[in-house]
Short mmCIF file of all heavy atoms in Angstrom, two decimals:
data_model
loop_
_atom_site.label_atom_id
_atom_site.label_comp_id
_atom_site.label_asym_id
_atom_site.label_seq_id
_atom_site.Cartn_x
_atom_site.Cartn_y
_atom_site.Cartn_z
N GLY A 281 -191.07 -2.75 17.77
CA GLY A 281 -190.59 -3.87 16.96
C GLY A 281 -191.19 -3.92 15.56
O GLY A 281 -191.15 -4.96 14.90
N GLY A 282 -191.74 -2.80 15.10
CA GLY A 282 -192.27 -2.77 13.73
C GLY A 282 -193.63 -3.42 13.55
O GLY A 282 -194.03 -3.71 12.41
N VAL A 283 -194.38 -3.63 14.64
CA VAL A 283 -195.72 -4.19 14.51
C VAL A 283 -196.57 -3.26 13.65
O VAL A 283 -196.57 -2.04 13.84
CB VAL A 283 -196.37 -4.38 15.89
CG1 VAL A 283 -197.84 -4.78 15.76
CG2 VAL A 283 -195.62 -5.45 16.68
N ILE A 284 -197.30 -3.82 12.71
CA ILE A 284 -198.11 -3.04 11.76
C ILE A 284 -199.51 -2.84 12.32
O ILE A 284 -200.13 -3.77 12.85
CB ILE A 284 -198.19 -3.77 10.40
CG1 ILE A 284 -196.78 -3.92 9.80
CG2 ILE A 284 -199.09 -3.01 9.44
CD1 ILE A 284 -196.75 -4.83 8.57
N ALA A 285 -200.03 -1.63 12.21
CA ALA A 285 -201.42 -1.33 12.58
C ALA A 285 -202.26 -1.21 11.31
O ALA A 285 -201.79 -0.66 10.31
CB ALA A 285 -201.49 -0.03 13.38
N GLY A 286 -203.48 -1.71 11.36
CA GLY A 286 -204.34 -1.68 10.19
C GLY A 286 -204.55 -0.28 9.63
O GLY A 286 -204.63 -0.09 8.41
N LYS A 287 -204.60 0.73 10.51
CA LYS A 287 -204.84 2.11 10.05
C LYS A 287 -203.70 2.61 9.18
O LYS A 287 -203.89 3.53 8.38
CB LYS A 287 -205.04 3.04 11.24
CG LYS A 287 -203.82 3.21 12.13
CD LYS A 287 -204.09 4.14 13.31
CE LYS A 287 -202.85 4.30 14.18
NZ LYS A 287 -203.09 5.20 15.34
N GLU A 288 -202.49 2.01 9.33
CA GLU A 288 -201.34 2.44 8.54
C GLU A 288 -201.48 2.04 7.08
O GLU A 288 -200.79 2.59 6.22
CB GLU A 288 -200.05 1.86 9.15
CG GLU A 288 -199.74 2.47 10.50
CD GLU A 288 -198.75 1.68 11.33
OE1 GLU A 288 -198.35 0.57 10.90
OE2 GLU A 288 -198.37 2.17 12.40
N PHE A 289 -202.36 1.11 6.80
CA PHE A 289 -202.73 0.80 5.42
C PHE A 289 -204.06 1.43 5.05
O PHE A 289 -204.24 1.89 3.92
CB PHE A 289 -202.79 -0.71 5.20
CG PHE A 289 -201.45 -1.33 4.93
CD1 PHE A 289 -200.76 -2.01 5.92
CD2 PHE A 289 -200.86 -1.22 3.69
CE1 PHE A 289 -199.53 -2.57 5.68
CE2 PHE A 289 -199.62 -1.77 3.43
CZ PHE A 289 -198.95 -2.45 4.43
N GLN A 290 -205.01 1.48 5.98
CA GLN A 290 -206.34 2.01 5.66
C GLN A 290 -206.28 3.47 5.22
O GLN A 290 -207.01 3.88 4.30
CB GLN A 290 -207.25 1.87 6.87
CG GLN A 290 -208.72 2.20 6.56
CD GLN A 290 -209.31 1.24 5.54
OE1 GLN A 290 -209.33 0.02 5.75
NE2 GLN A 290 -209.80 1.76 4.42
N THR A 291 -205.40 4.25 5.84
CA THR A 291 -205.26 5.66 5.45
C THR A 291 -204.97 5.80 3.96
O THR A 291 -205.56 6.63 3.26
CB THR A 291 -204.11 6.32 6.25
OG1 THR A 291 -204.46 6.35 7.63
CG2 THR A 291 -203.84 7.75 5.77
N TRP A 292 -204.07 4.95 3.46
CA TRP A 292 -203.65 5.06 2.05
C TRP A 292 -204.59 4.32 1.12
O TRP A 292 -204.71 4.69 -0.06
CB TRP A 292 -202.21 4.56 1.92
CG TRP A 292 -201.31 5.25 2.90
CD1 TRP A 292 -200.63 4.70 3.94
CD2 TRP A 292 -201.05 6.66 2.98
NE1 TRP A 292 -199.96 5.65 4.65
CE2 TRP A 292 -200.19 6.86 4.08
CE3 TRP A 292 -201.45 7.76 2.22
CZ2 TRP A 292 -199.73 8.12 4.45
CZ3 TRP A 292 -200.98 9.02 2.59
CH2 TRP A 292 -200.14 9.19 3.68
N ILE A 293 -205.30 3.30 1.62
CA ILE A 293 -206.37 2.68 0.82
C ILE A 293 -207.42 3.73 0.51
O ILE A 293 -207.87 3.87 -0.64
CB ILE A 293 -207.00 1.50 1.58
CG1 ILE A 293 -206.02 0.32 1.66
CG2 ILE A 293 -208.31 1.06 0.91
CD1 ILE A 293 -206.50 -0.81 2.54
N ASP A 294 -207.83 4.48 1.52
CA ASP A 294 -208.84 5.52 1.33
C ASP A 294 -208.34 6.59 0.35
O ASP A 294 -209.10 7.06 -0.51
CB ASP A 294 -209.19 6.18 2.67
CG ASP A 294 -209.85 5.21 3.64
OD1 ASP A 294 -210.35 4.17 3.19
OD2 ASP A 294 -209.85 5.50 4.85
N TRP A 295 -207.07 6.98 0.49
CA TRP A 295 -206.51 8.00 -0.40
C TRP A 295 -206.46 7.51 -1.84
O TRP A 295 -206.85 8.23 -2.77
CB TRP A 295 -205.10 8.38 0.07
CG TRP A 295 -204.42 9.33 -0.87
CD1 TRP A 295 -204.71 10.64 -1.06
CD2 TRP A 295 -203.35 9.03 -1.77
NE1 TRP A 295 -203.89 11.20 -2.01
CE2 TRP A 295 -203.04 10.22 -2.47
CE3 TRP A 295 -202.62 7.87 -2.04
CZ2 TRP A 295 -202.04 10.27 -3.43
CZ3 TRP A 295 -201.61 7.94 -2.99
CH2 TRP A 295 -201.33 9.12 -3.67
N LEU A 296 -206.00 6.30 -2.07
CA LEU A 296 -205.90 5.77 -3.42
C LEU A 296 -207.27 5.59 -4.06
O LEU A 296 -207.43 5.80 -5.27
CB LEU A 296 -205.14 4.44 -3.41
CG LEU A 296 -203.64 4.55 -3.14
CD1 LEU A 296 -203.04 3.18 -2.84
CD2 LEU A 296 -202.92 5.18 -4.32
N ALA A 297 -208.26 5.19 -3.26
CA ALA A 297 -209.62 5.07 -3.79
C ALA A 297 -210.16 6.45 -4.17
O ALA A 297 -210.80 6.62 -5.22
CB ALA A 297 -210.53 4.40 -2.76
N ARG A 298 -209.89 7.44 -3.34
CA ARG A 298 -210.32 8.81 -3.62
C ARG A 298 -209.65 9.36 -4.88
O ARG A 298 -210.25 10.12 -5.65
CB ARG A 298 -209.99 9.68 -2.41
CG ARG A 298 -210.70 11.01 -2.38
CD ARG A 298 -210.59 11.67 -1.01
NE ARG A 298 -209.22 11.98 -0.65
CZ ARG A 298 -208.61 11.53 0.43
NH1 ARG A 298 -209.25 10.73 1.28
NH2 ARG A 298 -207.36 11.87 0.70
N GLU A 299 -208.38 8.95 -5.10
CA GLU A 299 -207.64 9.39 -6.28
C GLU A 299 -208.01 8.61 -7.54
O GLU A 299 -207.56 8.94 -8.64
CB GLU A 299 -206.14 9.24 -6.03
CG GLU A 299 -205.57 10.21 -5.01
CD GLU A 299 -205.50 11.62 -5.56
OE1 GLU A 299 -204.87 11.84 -6.61
OE2 GLU A 299 -206.08 12.52 -4.92
N GLY A 300 -208.80 7.56 -7.39
CA GLY A 300 -209.17 6.73 -8.54
C GLY A 300 -208.10 5.72 -8.92
O GLY A 300 -208.17 5.11 -9.99
N GLU A 301 -207.11 5.51 -8.05
CA GLU A 301 -206.02 4.56 -8.34
C GLU A 301 -206.46 3.12 -8.11
O GLU A 301 -205.95 2.20 -8.73
CB GLU A 301 -204.81 4.88 -7.47
CG GLU A 301 -204.21 6.25 -7.70
CD GLU A 301 -203.22 6.25 -8.85
OE1 GLU A 301 -202.96 5.17 -9.41
OE2 GLU A 301 -202.70 7.33 -9.18
N ILE A 302 -207.37 2.92 -7.15
CA ILE A 302 -207.96 1.61 -6.91
C ILE A 302 -209.47 1.80 -6.77
O ILE A 302 -209.95 2.92 -6.53
CB ILE A 302 -207.39 0.93 -5.65
CG1 ILE A 302 -207.69 1.75 -4.40
CG2 ILE A 302 -205.89 0.68 -5.80
CD1 ILE A 302 -207.30 1.07 -3.09
N LYS A 303 -210.21 0.70 -6.88
CA LYS A 303 -211.66 0.78 -6.73
C LYS A 303 -212.04 0.72 -5.26
O LYS A 303 -211.39 0.03 -4.48
CB LYS A 303 -212.32 -0.38 -7.48
CG LYS A 303 -212.08 -0.38 -8.98
CD LYS A 303 -212.69 -1.61 -9.63
CE LYS A 303 -212.40 -1.63 -11.12
NZ LYS A 303 -212.93 -2.87 -11.77
N PRO A 304 -213.08 1.44 -4.86
CA PRO A 304 -213.54 1.35 -3.47
C PRO A 304 -213.85 -0.10 -3.11
O PRO A 304 -214.54 -0.81 -3.84
CB PRO A 304 -214.81 2.21 -3.46
CG PRO A 304 -214.59 3.20 -4.58
CD PRO A 304 -213.86 2.43 -5.64
N GLY A 305 -213.32 -0.55 -1.99
CA GLY A 305 -213.56 -1.91 -1.55
C GLY A 305 -212.70 -2.97 -2.21
O GLY A 305 -212.81 -4.16 -1.89
N GLN A 306 -211.85 -2.55 -3.14
CA GLN A 306 -211.03 -3.53 -3.87
C GLN A 306 -210.02 -4.22 -2.97
O GLN A 306 -209.73 -5.41 -3.12
CB GLN A 306 -210.29 -2.82 -5.01
CG GLN A 306 -209.39 -3.72 -5.85
CD GLN A 306 -208.66 -2.97 -6.95
OE1 GLN A 306 -208.90 -1.79 -7.17
NE2 GLN A 306 -207.77 -3.65 -7.64
N ILE A 307 -209.46 -3.46 -2.03
CA ILE A 307 -208.41 -3.98 -1.15
C ILE A 307 -208.77 -3.67 0.30
O ILE A 307 -209.25 -2.58 0.61
CB ILE A 307 -207.05 -3.31 -1.47
CG1 ILE A 307 -206.58 -3.69 -2.87
CG2 ILE A 307 -205.99 -3.71 -0.45
CD1 ILE A 307 -206.07 -5.09 -3.02
N LYS A 308 -208.55 -4.65 1.18
CA LYS A 308 -208.72 -4.45 2.62
C LYS A 308 -207.37 -4.59 3.30
O LYS A 308 -206.48 -5.29 2.80
CB LYS A 308 -209.70 -5.48 3.19
CG LYS A 308 -211.07 -5.49 2.53
CD LYS A 308 -212.01 -6.44 3.25
CE LYS A 308 -211.55 -7.89 3.15
NZ LYS A 308 -211.60 -8.42 1.79
N PRO A 309 -207.18 -3.94 4.47
CA PRO A 309 -205.90 -4.07 5.17
C PRO A 309 -205.49 -5.52 5.40
O PRO A 309 -204.30 -5.86 5.28
CB PRO A 309 -206.16 -3.34 6.50
CG PRO A 309 -207.16 -2.30 6.15
CD PRO A 309 -208.07 -2.97 5.14
N ALA A 310 -206.45 -6.38 5.70
CA ALA A 310 -206.13 -7.79 5.96
C ALA A 310 -205.54 -8.49 4.75
O ALA A 310 -204.85 -9.51 4.89
CB ALA A 310 -207.38 -8.53 6.43
#
């Protein structure tokens, strides 16, 4: 039913932080 898992955002948070697109800790899945 499309339930969202936190890891589905955390994976890309980590990638964007690694790429310098966002700051580490700037955004949390919640």
